[in-house]
Amino acid sequence: MNPSSTTQSSRTTPGSGPAARSRHARGEALIRPGRTSTTYAQLARQLVTTFPQAVAKLDPRHVWRSPVMFVVWVGSVVTTVQAVVDPSWFAWAVAVWLWATVLFANMAEAVAEGRGKAQAATLRATRKTTTAERRLADGSLETVAASDLAIGDLVVVRPNEIIPGDGDVVEGMATVDESAITGESAPVIRESGGDRSAVTGGTTVLSDRITVRITTKPGETFIDRMIALVEGASRQKTPNEIALTILLTVLTIIFLLAVMAMQPMAIYSGQPQSPVVLVALLVCLIPTTIGALLSAIGIAGMDRLVQHNVLAMSGRAVEAAGDVSTLLLDKTGTITYGNRRATELLATPGLGNDGVTRAAYVSSLADETPEGRSIVELAASALDTPSREALDRLPQAGATFVEFSAATRMSGADLPDGTAYRKGAADSVARWVKGLGGEMPSGVLTEVDGIATSGGTPLAVAVQEAGQPPRVLGVIHLKDVVKPGMKERFAQLRSMGIKTVMVTGDNPLTAKSIAAEAGVDDFLAEATPEDKMALIKLEQHGGRLIAMTGDGTNDAPALAQSDVGVAMNTGTSAAKEAANMVDLDSDPTKLIDIVSIGKQLLITRGALTTFSIANDIAKYFAIIPAMFVVLFPGLDALNIMGLASPRSAIVSAVIFNALIIIALIPLSLRGVRYRAVGSTALLRRNILIYGLGGIMAPFIGIKLIDLVVSHLPGMM
């Protein structure tokens, strides 16, 4: 958007400032009851509270969704039947711990889901049944239930009233309490005519009166969608998750065929194996650990985003964030606060300041944009009280005011004595002056170029007195402010290998100055929605994944085209509908957290898959020698753990296979820590920790369990 042709809000929200960033740095969540970490005591309580839910998930209609755990479930049924038909301590021990394996897998998923359901309950508590004052075609108001509102209805909301539905402010400006969705107690400002016009149903107007156009149907409001997302009701498996499920299924089938082929060989060798032993071998060889934790990892990934006050509309977007290579950011309201305010009135060389001050004040009286109001405030501070009061009486004196419009990019006033004032974009004022026989002074052009080069927005002020050619009286300096800490955050993105591109409607000089101050890698100036789309498609054509943050209606097409589209919560409804993520804090640098969580999700899934497959190696040394050591005494050389007996070895392996799931639940919920290092170093680190650890852990764990199990009856 061109800053001289359109208006943007001059307000910032408390959730986008340094305080909010410091909260994220500490890992605090604004959507209660969140914390990013879980202590083991908390986990123990969660395991106890989710136990009934985990038992309910033993229903085969639920278990079959995970092929690996469904095989374990079938094996549990088989061993239970065998234990009933031919009871023994060994058979019952294997059956019980196989059921525990399935139960622990269900508990991992239930704990992950439980966090979201707790947050959903908090959000449900914010929803209240309310009524609305709907405006009719004749301007009158009627009271209706909020549930009866339709898209397009206009409702009037007064102080201390609840906004009845999602919509956009079309008239007025008000402070709004949005703590219901952000947890931030400080109010924010919502107003018409800018990119901060969106309001959310269930929030409360604290001051002033606004008219809201409803944009969603009842039951489909932002809070309704939040509830569905955080409790996991709308979660679907991502492409990577589906691919990994297929891989695990194939491995399970391979091991199933191998175990089935082992029984004929055992019979031929004269030592047939019982179904209990074969099932135990199968369960210990298939990748049960990752199969049990896969769903919990995906749910926890989206939960971590929620704890950072980001709503992901799909798991696909979370995964894509982990592979983003280019980030596009809208300048106004994203990199900068978006509050361009008049900071200086510069008179034309040779003219006094009184003329430009008076002209700026009069020509901005009809400009209701935030920029126009800031000009009135600045000029008023320089005028004495009698002069200001005299100018305020101009409407009663018969003055005609020209409102600001995007078409003319000017505003002004025509006084009864024939004097005309104009204020607006420098090129628009220049055309107005030249059209009436005047000229643009070179000194003014120099000031205009200087302001634009410094990153500000220059507005020219001119006057035409009766019978005289128009004169340019001076320039108004509007300045936008880059949000604190942006350069450091962009440097952090650069260390992650992410290129940052600022997209703005500003002229190239202004864009270059802001880009240098913010520390972005590149910029696109004078960008139209079509230009943004073209840039995104060009990057995607090169095989790169693109993320974009934005808050305006003109950002909506680009947000929809991006692989990861992050809309600011302070933005318009169109932007939030087009994006696949919404940042409730409206902090554009939140993408660093989003990318980190996306990478963390992928790394966690890969690390636990590596661990799961690696720890099967130790189980070979526990179970295979135990099965055939009587027939082939030479296999005792493979009993490097020194396990007491074949039966204790098998039971110990089954118990370890179940307990390791519980042990890894905290890691699957918290995620493997992501560090901004190269992929080679990251791969080496994870192989050493989770590959080598996956091999060593079972040797130690099974041996320790065997020391206890071997003293139980029937295990020798």
Side-chain angles (χ1 to χ4, degrees):
M1 292 186 292
N2 190 324
S4 60
S5 63
T6 57
T7 167
Q8 303 237 351
S9 172
S10 63
R11 304 295 187 270
T12 60
T13 64
S16 61
R21 278 188 291 275
S22 66
R23 283 192 298 273
H24 303 318
R26 298 194 303 268
E28 293 182 14
L30 294 182
I31 293 184
R32 298 170 296 273
R35 291 286 176 189
T36 56
S37 62
T38 300
T39 66
Y40 285 98
Q42 290 173 328
L43 176 62
R45 288 194 296 269
Q46 290 174 345
L47 291 176
V48 172
T49 56
T50 57
F51 182 79
Q53 184 180 354
V55 173
K57 288 178 178 287
L58 291 174
D59 187 332
R61 291 172 297 183
H62 173 81
V63 179
W64 76 270
R65 299 173 186 173
S66 173
V68 175
M69 298 316 300
F70 183 69
V71 169
V72 180
W73 184 89
V74 172
S76 303
V77 173
V78 171
T79 53
T80 302
V81 172
Q82 181 69 20
V84 172
V85 173
D86 186 13
S88 67
W89 278 102
F90 171 71
W92 277 112
V94 172
V96 168
W97 280 101
L98 288 182
W99 281 115
T101 302
V102 182
L103 190 65
F104 291 164
N106 291 344
M107 291 176 75
E109 184 178 22
V111 168
E113 290 177 348
R115 289 180 167 189
K117 290 180 178 179
Q119 292 166 339
T122 302
L123 289 171
R124 283 194 179 95
T126 67
R127 295 194 304 183
K128 300 176 182 177
T129 302
T130 185
T131 57
E133 294 289 321
R134 181 165 56 188
R135 180 183 292 175
L136 302 179
D138 59 3
S140 61
L141 300 177
E142 67 170 350
T143 301
V144 297
S147 58
D148 294 333
L149 294 175
I151 295 176
D153 283 349
L154 296 178
V155 296
V156 175
V157 189
R158 299 177 180 85
N160 300 318
E161 292 183 352
I162 296 174
I163 297 174
D166 291 359
D168 291 319
V169 179
V170 295
E171 292 180 14
M173 177 179 69
T175 53
V176 179
D177 176 10
E178 292 189 342
S179 58
I181 59 173
T182 66
E184 178 62 63
S185 58
V188 296
I189 291 185
R190 293 290 177 262
E191 58 186 337
S192 62
D195 288 340
R196 298 180 189 272
S197 60
V199 291
T200 304
T203 57
T204 305
V205 172
L206 299 180
S207 68
D208 304 295
R209 163 177 161 157
I210 54 176
T211 301
V212 177
R213 177 181 288 111
I214 300 298
T215 57
T216 58
K217 298 178 181 178
E220 298 178 5
T221 65
F222 190 57
I223 288 184
D224 290 318
R225 286 188 294 157
M226 286 173 64
I227 291 171
L229 288 167
V230 299
E231 71 180 357
S234 60
R235 196 187 88 89
Q236 297 180 345
K237 287 188 176 182
T238 64
N240 285 348
E241 195 173 347
I242 293 173
L244 182 56
T245 301
I246 293 173
L247 172 63
L248 298 180
T249 303
V250 171
L251 289 175
T252 301
I253 292 174
I254 292 174
F255 283 120
L256 177 62
L257 294 176
V259 171
M260 290 174 61
M262 195 172 289
Q263 181 71 326
M265 296 173 58
I267 294 174
Y268 179 78
S269 299
Q271 190 177 357
Q273 300 296 321
S274 70
V276 174
V277 173
L278 292 174
V279 170
L281 173 63
L282 174 62
V283 170
C284 288
L285 295 186
I286 63 178
T288 51
T289 305
I290 184 62
L293 299 174
L294 185 58
S295 180
I297 293 171
I299 295 172
M302 295 187 72
D303 178 65
R304 283 194 294 275
L305 273 181
V306 171
Q307 291 176 355
H308 281 76
N309 268 15
V310 177
L311 292 181
M313 304 304 178
S314 70
R316 182 191 298 266
V318 183
E319 285 188 351
D323 293 323
V324 162
S325 57
T326 303
L327 167 62
L328 274 61
L329 302 104
D330 180 45
K331 178 186 79 70
T332 307
T334 304
I335 292 178
T336 65
Y337 279 123
N339 57 344
R340 292 177 299 144
R341 297 186 61 85
T343 59
E344 195 174 9
L345 298 175
L346 303 171
T348 300
L351 300 179
N353 288 332
D354 290 344
V356 68
T357 301
R358 175 186 172 88
Y361 187 87
V362 174
S363 60
S364 300
L365 286 174
D367 187 354
E368 291 299 324
T369 66
E371 292 85 356
R373 291 195 290 268
S374 74
I375 295 171
V376 172
E377 292 172 6
L378 179 64
S381 65
L383 293 171
D384 56 57
T385 301
S387 298
R388 188 172 64 252
E389 291 177 350
L391 295 177
D392 289 339
R393 288 193 294 268
L394 287 176
Q396 290 78 13
T400 303
F401 289 94
V402 179
E403 295 184 0
F404 174 86
S405 71
T408 63
R409 297 190 297 166
M410 290 194 306
S411 65
D414 296 328
L415 306 188
D417 62 3
T419 303
Y421 292 100
R422 292 293 184 272
K423 173 271 303 176
D427 55 345
S428 298
V429 172
R431 284 193 297 270
W432 182 78
V433 169
K434 290 179 181 179
L436 297 175
E439 293 184 359
M440 197 78 162
S442 58
V444 172
L445 293 175
T446 301
E447 291 288 359
V448 167
D449 290 340
I451 292 172
T453 303
S454 68
T457 301
L459 299 180
V461 181
V463 62
Q464 184 191 28
E465 297 172 340
Q468 300 294 326
R471 293 177 298 137
V472 179
L473 300 177
V475 180
I476 303 170
H477 186 176
L478 294 180
K479 187 176 181 180
D480 203 350
V481 180
V482 174
K483 294 180 179 179
M486 295 299 289
K487 180 168 287 190
E488 293 76 12
R489 300 282 272 177
F490 289 142
Q492 191 175 351
L493 284 169
R494 197 173 297 111
S495 69
M496 293 180 179
I498 298 175
K499 174 184 176 183
T500 53
V501 180
M502 182 185 77
V503 181
T504 177
D506 286 347
N507 62 69
L509 290 175
T510 300
K512 181 179 180 181
S513 175
I514 295 293
E517 184 178 353
V520 295
D521 298 316
D522 201 357
F523 66 89
L524 177 65
E526 297 179 341
T528 64
E530 292 76 17
D531 293 333
K532 297 177 186 179
M533 289 284 288
L535 177 60
I536 292 173
K537 290 179 179 179
L538 178 64
E539 293 282 333
Q540 290 173 331
H541 184 70
R544 290 176 286 273
L545 294 184
I546 309 301
M548 178 176 174
T549 63
D551 59 359
T553 301
N554 65 328
D555 296 323
L559 288 170
Q561 179 65 33
S562 301
D563 300 287
V564 180
V566 184
M568 303 294 102
N569 186 49
T570 55
T572 62
S573 299
K576 290 191 282 189
E577 288 291 337
N580 49 27
M581 291 188 186
V582 177
D583 175 18
L584 301 181
D585 293 328
S586 301
D587 178 3
T589 59
K590 186 72 70 63
L591 192 82
I592 295 175
D593 299 321
I594 295 173
V595 169
S596 296
I597 291 171
K599 289 182 180 295
Q600 189 180 45
L601 173 63
L602 298 176
I603 293 170
T604 302
R605 190 180 291 153
L608 291 183
T609 300
T610 302
F611 184 92
S612 179
I613 295 175
N615 69 20
D616 288 340
I617 296 175
K619 298 171 192 174
Y620 285 109
F621 289 92
I623 296 184
I624 297 298
M627 292 176 63
F628 297 103
V629 69
V630 175
L631 186 62
F632 303 106
L635 288 176
D636 191 56
L638 297 178
N639 185 18
I640 59 179
M641 287 181 276
L643 302 178
S645 69
R647 286 193 169 189
S648 71
I650 293 173
V651 172
S652 298
V654 171
I655 293 175
F656 174 84
N657 196 59
L659 293 181
I660 195 65
I661 295 174
I662 289 291
L664 291 176
I665 288 178
L667 182 61
S668 66
L669 298 179
R670 184 180 66 252
V672 176
R673 184 177 178 184
Y674 168 71
R675 292 184 176 88
V677 297
S679 57
T680 302
L682 195 61
L683 178 62
R684 186 188 306 115
R685 172 179 174 271
N686 286 341
I687 288 178
L688 286 175
I689 295 176
Y690 299 100
L692 186 60
I695 295 175
M696 297 302 298
F699 280 96
I700 299 171
I702 291 175
K703 176 60 179 176
L704 293 176
I705 295 172
D706 181 73
L707 294 176
V708 177
V709 170
S710 60
H711 293 88
L712 298 177
M715 293 300 167
M716 298 301 293

